[in-house]
Amino acid sequence: MQLTSILLYQSLKEQFPIADCRLLSKDQPLARPYFYEKGQALTGSHIYLTEAILDLDLFSSLPQDVVLIICQKNPASVLPAGRFSCILLSCDTSVIHVFNCIQSIFDYYEQWEQQLIHVCHTDGSLEDLLELSLPVFKNPLWISDTNFSLAAEAGLKEAAEEYEIFTKPEMRIDYMNAFHQDEACRIPKDSRVPVLFPAYITGHRSLNLNLFLDGRREYYLSMLEWNSPVTEADSYLLTVLAQHAEYLLHRIHSESSSRSNTLQSTFQSILSDRTADYMGISRILASVGWLPEHLYLCVLLQPNLSGGASLGAKTICNYMETEFSSCCCLVFQENAVAFFNLTLMNTEPEDLHSKLAYFIRDSFLKAGYSRSMKGHMNLRRQYLQARTALTLGCEIHPELWIHHFSRIALPYILRQASKVLPGPMLCHEKLLDLQESDKVQNTEYMKTLKTYLDHNLNTVQSAKSLYIHRSTFLYRLERIKAILETDLEDPDELFYLNLSFRLLELNR
């Protein structure tokens, strides 16, 4: 790895007093040093060291891409006028010691770069890159996408308030808007030069650089000014780290794209092909890390088909797969169908429901949720649960935008049961006699029985609910038992009567 002239200067400044310095270019790349010999032809882009007193003519003849380091003891010395790059040390040490120190500087940064290369070629992660770079920058590092979603970090958790920007959605949105609206915090889309953001938004300055995938800016690499002040040398080091981060991002996205394509085609088969080979599907899902023992959830998201401000199904899918790891979302019959691997996400269904709720509401969507279930064999059934929840839920409670299958399972069972035979033909036969008695004799036996069942056969509570005396209730109950020809003690019959009332309600 080459050093730049400013990185060389910053590194020497940490070890030696500097009497004077002139650098024609702070970004001049420099190779390892030589000792200066009188009459020697100087090789460009190198460092030369000497402790000799040089002629003035020599300074004017120095190539502009060479940096000369002069080791002498006089702190009051200054460089002569001219266009050349030179660092004048005022140290009581030998030029050999300075030479060895510069070699150590090269060794340090080359070792760092070799570690980065090793990470990139041995299935390392972005976190590994950043962790290896913490000692170099001495400040927290992170990589985020253009929506400020955190992809990787190292040392950032120490800066608790800054870290919360990425962990709390409401804070992230506020800061994202603040950065986007501030001219001082905008990085040109095609820029490969780090930009120093001011401190007045977050309380700390940060150095930020675009990361590109296939020629498009997709991520930011950032360093927070926390433990050490940001230096001009950090900009160069950040560009070195960025090259390896981009390489790793390309590899990760390539693997992710392959995995995503596999998941997309597999779930498309699950949804569209009722005769799909589920053993084969299970093997394919397991090959990309979606295992049979994992917990899955399906969510059906319906855009506003009336032409309102709702998002389109493709946009919804892009959001889901960007915002949620281990999610496969595809368009099916004009809706977005999202399958979540809750095990890989390391989240509970309730936590996922909470994260989705605001997006669904603010995007004017309707959603149906399946139950969370383990294994691959129920994936299509989970889609049917989500579809049923959405369809029946919107019919029963059109004012709601989120419907869970567990909450409409009973109405679904009743409707399925009465598809062939209507409710009166499925209900308890004697209950129809009770209903007829109410019509002919103007009694309230149906209401009395239902209240009795609703209060779990508690006569006192039932009488209070009906606003009648307990003796009146007991008289009615005896008449009901006589008409039904039952003592109302058999659990199966009680269940059948409860079910019968719900079946009859379907035919009102």
Side-chain angles (χ1 to χ4, degrees), residues 71-289:
C71 304
Q72 49 87 55
K73 299 180 181 180
N74 185 1
S77 298
V78 294
L79 294 171
R83 286 190 57 78
F84 58 89
S85 294
C86 182
I87 300 174
L88 184 60
L89 303 183
S90 58
C91 55
D92 191 11
T93 186
S94 68
V95 69
I96 294 175
H97 176 67
V98 177
F99 178 88
N100 288 338
C101 287
I102 293 175
Q103 293 285 14
S104 298
I105 295 169
F106 272 94
D107 289 342
Y108 176 78
Y109 287 109
E110 284 184 0
Q111 182 184 17
W112 170 56
E113 188 173 42
Q114 287 303 314
Q115 290 174 324
L116 298 183
I117 292 171
H118 179 74
V119 168
C120 289
H121 291 86
T122 55
D123 294 329
S125 66
L126 292 170
E127 285 82 2
D128 294 333
L129 282 185
L130 300 186
E131 287 290 346
L132 285 171
S133 303
L134 266 182
V136 175
F137 291 92
K138 303 180 182 66
N139 278 315
L141 298 161
W142 72 87
I143 295 173
S144 61
D145 66 17
T146 52
N147 291 321
F148 282 70
S149 293
L150 194 64
E153 64 87 18
L156 187 59
K157 292 179 182 178
E158 297 175 17
E161 291 183 6
E162 192 79 16
Y163 185 61
E164 285 183 347
I165 294 175
F166 301 101
T167 58
K168 295 184 177 179
E170 63 277 8
M171 286 184 65
R172 191 182 75 197
I173 293 172
D174 288 343
Y175 277 99
M176 180 176 68
N177 290 334
F179 279 122
H180 285 169
Q181 292 169 14
D182 196 306
E183 290 286 348
C185 298
R186 292 180 187 171
I187 310 175
K189 286 186 178 181
D190 57 351
S191 172
R192 292 187 178 271
V193 178
V195 175
L196 185 64
F197 287 1
Y200 51 73
I201 294 181
T202 65
H204 301 280
R205 297 194 303 171
S206 62
L207 195 61
N208 304 269
L209 179 64
N210 289 332
L211 296 179
F212 295 87
L213 285 175
D214 300 323
R216 294 178 302 180
R217 178 179 68 183
E218 299 289 349
Y219 291 88
Y220 300 116
L221 171 61
S222 305
M223 183 196 77
L224 182 69
E225 189 176 54
W226 181 257
N227 299 311
S228 300
V230 174
T231 68
E232 293 178 281
D234 288 326
S235 292
Y236 169 64
L237 294 173
L238 204 67
T239 60
V240 174
L241 178 58
Q243 294 171 6
H244 299 281
E246 285 182 351
Y247 179 91
L248 200 53
L249 282 167
H250 276 286
R251 194 195 75 196
I252 293 170
H253 273 256
S254 177
E255 293 171 356
S256 176
S257 176
S258 175
R259 182 166 56 251
S260 177
N261 289 339
T262 300
L263 288 172
Q264 287 276 334
S265 59
T266 303
F267 279 107
Q268 190 69 46
S269 296
I270 289 172
L271 295 180
S272 58
D273 186 0
R274 296 183 181 181
T275 63
D277 175 14
Y278 272 80
M279 295 302 294
I281 283 174
S282 182
R283 287 193 295 270
I284 293 172
L285 291 175
S287 71
V288 293

Side-chain angles (χ1 to χ4, degrees), residues 414-427 503 506-507:
L414 295 172
R415 294 197 180 202
Q416 289 296 106
S418 58
K419 272 189 174 181
V420 177
L421 296 174
M425 296 188 70
L426 294 171
C427 74
L503 287 168
L506 292 176
N507 290 85

Side-chain angles (χ1 to χ4, degrees), residues 228-444:
S228 300
V230 174
T231 68
E232 293 178 281
D234 288 326
S235 292
Y236 169 64
L237 294 173
L238 204 67
T239 60
V240 174
L241 178 58
Q243 294 171 6
H244 299 281
E246 285 182 351
Y247 179 91
L248 200 53
L249 282 167
H250 276 286
R251 194 195 75 196
I252 293 170
H253 273 256
S254 177
E255 293 171 356
S256 176
S257 176
S258 175
R259 182 166 56 251
S260 177
N261 289 339
T262 300
L263 288 172
Q264 287 276 334
S265 59
T266 303
F267 279 107
Q268 190 69 46
S269 296
I270 289 172
L271 295 180
S272 58
D273 186 0
R274 296 183 181 181
T275 63
D277 175 14
Y278 272 80
M279 295 302 294
I281 283 174
S282 182
R283 287 193 295 270
I284 293 172
L285 291 175
S287 71
V288 293
W290 287 44
L291 304 181
E293 60 267 27
H294 288 173
L295 189 66
Y296 299 95
L297 178 77
C298 179
V299 179
L300 182 63
L301 297 153
Q302 183 183 72
N304 183 355
L305 301 179
S306 63
S310 177
L311 301 175
K314 287 185 178 179
T315 304
I316 296 169
C317 287
N318 289 337
Y319 173 85
M320 287 293 164
E321 295 196 345
T322 301
E323 194 69 16
F324 298 95
S325 62
S326 304
C327 169
C328 179
C329 192
L330 61 157
V331 178
F332 185 70
Q333 295 180 349
E334 298 185 333
N335 295 320
V337 183
F339 287 92
F340 296 91
N341 187 319
L342 299 177
T343 303
L344 291 180
M345 292 172 66
N346 192 27
T347 190
E348 296 296 325
E350 295 76 16
D351 296 331
L352 179 62
H353 298 164
S354 298
K355 291 178 181 178
L356 280 173
Y358 292 108
F359 169 73
I360 292 169
R361 183 196 65 185
D362 296 341
S363 302
F364 303 99
L365 307 177
K366 295 280 189 177
Y369 286 67
S370 76
R371 291 174 177 167
S372 55
M373 303 177 74
K374 282 188 177 182
H376 299 149
M377 300 304 150
N378 289 316
L379 289 171
R380 177 172 172 78
R381 296 189 184 105
Q382 284 182 283
Y383 162 71
L384 295 175
Q385 281 187 340
R387 188 182 70 182
T388 301
L390 180 63
T391 305
L392 189 54
C394 287
E395 181 181 335
I396 298 173
H397 297 292
E399 74 280 4
L400 300 179
W401 60 83
I402 295 175
H403 305 277
H404 296 266
F405 180 77
S406 296
R407 296 173 188 169
I408 57 91
L410 181 58
Y412 172 71
I413 291 171
L414 295 172
R415 294 197 180 202
Q416 289 296 106
S418 58
K419 272 189 174 181
V420 177
L421 296 174
M425 296 188 70
L426 294 171
C427 74
H428 193 292
E429 185 176 4
K430 293 296 181 178
L431 194 63
L432 297 177
D433 294 341
L434 209 63
Q435 191 179 54
E436 184 64 22
S437 174
D438 283 350
K439 289 180 181 178
V440 174
Q441 302 180 29
N442 200 27
T443 57
E444 291 188 337

